[in-house]
Amino acid sequence: MQKASLFLLVAFYSGIGNAQTDEEYWQQELHYEIEVILDDNNHFLHAEEEITYINNSPDTLSFIIFHLWPNAYSDKSSALGRQLINSSNTSLAFASKEEMGFIDSLSFTLDGKPCIWEFDENHMDICTLYLEKPLIPEASVIISTPFRVKLPSGKISRLGHIGQSYQITQWYPKPAVYDKNGWHPMPYLNQGEFYSEFGSFDVRITLPANYTVGATGDLQSQGEIERLDRLVDETERFIKMTNDNKTWSKVRSEISFPESDSTLKTLHYRQSKVHDFAWFADKRYHVLKGEVELPHSKETVSVWTMFTNKDAEQWAKSIEYMHDAVYYYSLWNGDYPYHQATAVDGTISAGGGMEYPNVTVIGSMQTDFMLETVIMHEVGHNWFYGILGSNERDFPWMDEGMNSFNELRYLNTKYPDAKMFIGNRDLKILDKIGLSNYRPGDSHYLTYLLSARANQDQSHLIKSDEYSSLNYGAIVYSKSGVAFDYLRTYLGNELMDKVMKTYFEAYKFKHPYPEDFRRIAEEVTEEDLSWFFDQILGSVAKIDYKLKKLKIKDQQSELTMRNAGGVSSPVNVVSFFEGDAVDSQWVAGFMSDTTIVINTIVDSVEIDPDWRIPEIRRGNNYLDANRVLKKVEPLNVSPFSIENPRETQLHVVPIVGANFPNGFMPGLAVYNSTIPVRKLNFLIAPMFSTKSITPSGSAEAYYMITPEGSALESIDIGANFKRYTHRFGFSLPSLAYNRFEPYLRVDFRPPSASGLWDHELVISSVVVAEEEYVTSEFGETSIQMTNNLFSRVQYDLLYDHPIYKSSFRTNAELHEDYLRGSIEIKNQINFLDKVMLRSRVFGGLFFYNNSTDPRYNYRMDGQFGSNDYAYDATLLDRSSTDGILMRQMTETHGAFKTLNGIGQSNLGLFAHNLELDAAKIPIGLFSDVGYNFQGNTLYDAGLFLRLAKGFFTLYAPLVFSKNIQNEIDANGRDFGDLIRFKVDFALLDIMKMRRQLNL
């Protein structure tokens, strides 16, 4: 499967089972005969299946386990449903009955006799057939059953339909694999693919005559072959006639389904030596056909593509992509063993494309290059998943990893001088932000860094469903791909080709395990590849070599290098003199320091100049003796760019801010942090307050420590600072404040890989120096600087479920006059993506309080204006006592929407806030209830208007408790005075967003 995204877009497991010699190897054998009818009015399949199951194992079998994978769509609590939820996908959880699917009408017989069978107690998409007569070695049994499949919505996963466009995958009862490690029953999953038994298929598909079908196998129906040839002629004429943007735009809009033909046709397909059968049907398909001559056998393979009007302009070149994919994969691994390969344009909800033997389905792509990449990747799965039938659920690197490696090689071979996002008309700006420094396939390296730099990468010794959504792409696809490309660079193309071809010939149409590939790789190369299998693929240790010093002595050069990482792997070192490469050598892996001798004079050295080694950092790979700072790269100042290891990058962009005391504040943002994240990150934003005529601005810097192999994901040691005017004096000088906060942030490794949980601890000290007016006994006003220190500890636990979100926060704050602590619990319930209920509970308590300053009290209406004593919030006006800007609220303390003084307390308080709104309507209801420890119970309720995806919310209180109403009446407030608003400025905090997104 291919996930088509930049930021999306290897495992060795030596302890599984016992190695088998070629003489001992065995695998079961299946022969399918299936007849299926498509009911495109009601979206059902009606079918009959007969399977000849041949027991080639040395064991006698008393039962056979079957997969009934359409049942994964029948219940929202299925393994598929749970996995989708864990990846924040509610397509099955909120699916209607009509959108769900199932398989039923099953009536299994064994050699014509009814048999006892039962569903698995935990998974409705697995069942067990009990054999009345045990199946001895070399014996066979004929298993038959009718079945009916209710096709789910194609929005959920890979099986389904969108209108009358059908993707029929994993649709028939299928025996689980029985191999040297026993049975492999597995529920259907979106993440983590399949493991199926090889055999042959004889399939007849009956459907309305005007459908065009792309399928596994060789089409046997002569009339349909002639029809497809006619469609090819029509499509070629259609493409020639449609040659300008205006015409293509009109074509793209014509995607309605024609009426189904009242006449039915039956299409007959046959294929052997495959482990699955899939088919795709659409009445709107255009068809193209081509041929490819295989590089070794010189035999000819037919290649087909089928597509609708929607993306027809991009698919016009699709035969070239099919041709090149089949050719290059055959060249490097072994010839394609089947007669045809097909790619179809279809709905694909589980990523950019999905592979099946002989046929692949491709989702909508934005550019020609993306379409080529996904077609090539999916066709490549005919080798790594199809012909080499490894267990994708347990060892995903053996298919996705090896395939991503071939994808990288394809792109670098076909487009040797190309840059990332070639041919992308809509993303030319990406060239200006540094992506032109990278090759097309380098997105895999950058994706790996997103996870590895943040210390979120996972071991390759886990199963595919144990990866987080990020790491299924970043590790299984990306790290695996770049790691194998590193191995190829080290071994050389000739030796790598020999490894891959030997592996292919030894295990085609078989089920290889990781130890099988390792054995072949080490036998062919005659090398101990522990550094590759054990350290790179078998751990989360990072590669990081750096240059220390260069000495010139007696017409020789001595170079000292250091291993700053945890992997001892070969490293390529290239030396230069006056710009020309004069020496290149591979240095055996080492730990700590090593010195190598270069038998000539050099003036600069670079580790891995071709960027093939997946190092965690490349910025320490350069040393130039001609520069004053020999290991510092030239400075490049730009507004923004992706990390370029050959530059010292500094980013500068103009910014502007505004609030009442400061007026407009022009300034600059100066930062070093790019994508992906670095160890040291800083952002300095100097500004100037045009109203108070004073300097202002903010800054933050932190150093990230990533302790590998611990329960900690990262430790940030940093500090932030801000200075602004907090009171504008119309007749007196303005007053400013300075806020400095050193902190220690500890991000704990999530308790599970689901990605739903997260927790962190922050320890900080907030130092506030604020200017205040002081009036002397003689009536003279002066400005005095006061200082306060607030020591804080805060712990956050988050559960980010797409239906039920929850967060728990507890903190404590110590000041010279008080010690207090609080607990805040937030819950959000999503009712079918239609109604959202949000709940917040807050409880705060002073353990002791010797302060008489009311700013330090807990407030039922939250902190605002001058009550934000530590200057934590970003407020539009801190200086006034009234006015619209003073009605800005923060969701702190009691978070009441109605301004009130009676709710404040120097002892403590409790509050509960509720919000209810419809998903597609920005208007909702709120209510607040609270009690302070002075004995006051308060409540309010009203309407809110939420805009800009929650950035701005307006609150209109309508109902109040009597004590709040009395305060409103006493202060003479009218309805307009009660309206408050909230602005979520955290959405604009670049450093905070970056940490949350782990960029």
Side-chain angles (χ1 to χ4, degrees), residues 450-491:
L450 293 182
S451 175
R453 288 270 185 92
N455 202 27
Q456 294 181 349
D457 51 331
Q458 293 172 270
S459 166
H460 289 84
L461 305 186
I462 61 177
K463 298 181 180 182
S464 50
D465 57 330
E466 297 174 17
Y467 286 99
S468 67
S469 296
L470 169 64
N471 282 332
Y472 194 64
I475 304 303
V476 173
Y477 288 74
S478 295
K479 182 183 178 183
S480 305
V482 296
F484 272 96
D485 195 55
Y486 171 24
L487 179 64
R488 177 194 64 82
T489 305
Y490 168 68
L491 296 177

Side-chain angles (χ1 to χ4, degrees), residues 340-361:
Q340 66 93 6
T342 301
V344 302
D345 172 14
T347 55
I348 173 70
S349 303
M354 185 62 204
E355 68 278 359
Y356 304 93
N358 305 158
V359 64
T360 181
V361 59

Side-chain angles (χ1 to χ4, degrees), residues 178-245:
Y178 183 78
D179 67 9
K180 63 180 182 178
N181 293 316
W183 287 103
H184 294 268
M186 54 184 68
Y188 180 95
L189 294 177
N190 222 38
Q191 175 178 298
E193 294 165 15
F194 310 111
Y195 187 35
S196 303
E197 200 55 83
F198 282 97
S200 66
F201 287 84
D202 191 307
V203 180
R204 287 176 168 83
I205 303 168
T206 300
L207 72 176
N210 57 336
Y211 274 91
T212 300
V213 173
T216 299
D218 298 331
L219 179 61
Q220 307 295 307
S221 307
Q222 186 59 38
E224 185 67 11
I225 293 173
E226 294 171 358
R227 176 178 175 272
L228 291 177
D229 287 338
R230 290 195 298 272
L231 285 175
V232 171
D233 292 339
E234 292 174 10
T235 301
E236 289 174 347
R237 290 195 297 271
F238 158 76
I239 290 174
K240 288 180 181 178
M241 293 173 58
T242 313
N243 55 10
D244 60 80
N245 290 333

Side-chain angles (χ1 to χ4, degrees), residues 483-648:
F484 272 96
D485 195 55
Y486 171 24
L487 179 64
R488 177 194 64 82
T489 305
Y490 168 68
L491 296 177
N493 288 335
E494 183 177 350
L495 192 53
M496 189 68 182
D497 288 349
K498 187 176 180 181
V499 169
M500 299 309 296
K501 290 173 183 176
T502 303
Y503 174 55
F504 178 83
E505 289 300 325
Y507 286 99
K508 62 183 178 182
F509 314 126
K510 295 181 181 179
H511 298 307
Y513 272 74
E515 58 265 29
D516 299 319
F517 177 73
R518 177 173 185 167
R519 186 188 69 254
I520 285 177
E522 293 189 329
E523 286 176 356
V524 170
T525 61
E526 298 181 351
E527 287 198 33
D528 179 356
L529 298 177
S530 298
W531 61 269
F532 180 77
F533 289 101
D534 296 339
Q535 296 184 53
I536 296 179
L537 303 191
S539 77
V540 295
K542 316 298 192 293
I543 306 173
D544 185 15
Y545 287 106
K546 63 186 294 185
L547 298 177
K548 283 195 66 181
K549 58 185 177 181
L550 178 66
K551 286 185 178 181
I552 310 299
K553 182 180 180 181
D554 298 330
Q555 299 300 306
Q556 288 185 332
S557 306
E558 286 186 355
L559 177 68
T560 302
M561 295 184 292
R562 170 164 294 176
N563 188 341
V567 177
S568 176
S569 61
V571 56
N572 179 230
V573 181
V574 179
S575 304
F576 301 85
F577 183 73
E578 296 183 351
D580 295 324
V582 294
D583 183 78
S584 177
Q585 55 182 293
W586 281 94
V587 180
F590 59 92
M591 298 303 293
S592 190
D593 291 1
T594 193
T595 299
I596 65 170
V597 175
I598 305 166
N599 292 316
T600 186
I601 296 176
V602 303
D603 55 16
S604 63
V605 182
E606 183 172 349
I607 292 174
D608 186 33
D610 291 330
W611 289 3
R612 299 295 187 185
I613 302 176
E615 288 194 273
I616 192 71
R617 276 171 290 278
R618 288 174 172 162
N620 53 15
N621 285 6
Y622 313 97
L623 189 156
D624 190 337
N626 297 316
R627 292 199 295 258
V628 176
L629 301 174
K630 295 179 173 56
K631 291 184 282 187
V632 178
E633 295 301 302
L635 178 66
N636 179 25
V637 179
S638 64
F640 175 83
S641 71
I642 301 296
E643 178 177 287
N644 182 357
R646 293 193 172 100
E647 296 175 343
T648 299

Side-chain angles (χ1 to χ4, degrees), residues 16 59 120 153 176 229-230 294 315 361 404 414 423 426 475 558 572 607 729 899 906:
I16 288 290
D59 307 319
D120 182 89
S153 166
D229 287 338
R230 290 195 298 272
L294 299 177
W315 281 78
V361 59
S404 294
K414 188 172 178 180
D426 301 323
I475 304 303
E558 286 186 355
N572 179 230
I607 292 174
L899 283 167
N906 60 3

Side-chain angles (χ1 to χ4, degrees), residues 709-756:
S710 75
L712 305 182
E713 197 168 83
S714 65
I715 302 172
D716 297 346
I717 302 173
N720 57 60
F721 171 83
K722 60 182 177 181
R723 171 188 169 83
Y724 292 100
T725 298
H726 70 90
R727 182 175 298 278
F728 180 74
F730 291 93
S731 58
L732 296 170
S734 297
L735 303 180
Y737 74 88
N738 300 284
R739 182 187 189 278
F740 176 68
E741 181 183 18
Y743 60 80
L744 174 72
R745 176 184 294 105
V746 180
D747 282 324
F748 297 92
R749 196 168 295 279
S752 73
S754 67
L756 298 179

Side-chain angles (χ1 to χ4, degrees), residues 69 123 309 465 489 573 756 783 917 958:
W69 280 331
H123 302 291
N309 281 348
D465 57 330
T489 305
V573 181
L756 298 179
I783 296 176
D917 65 310
L958 301 174

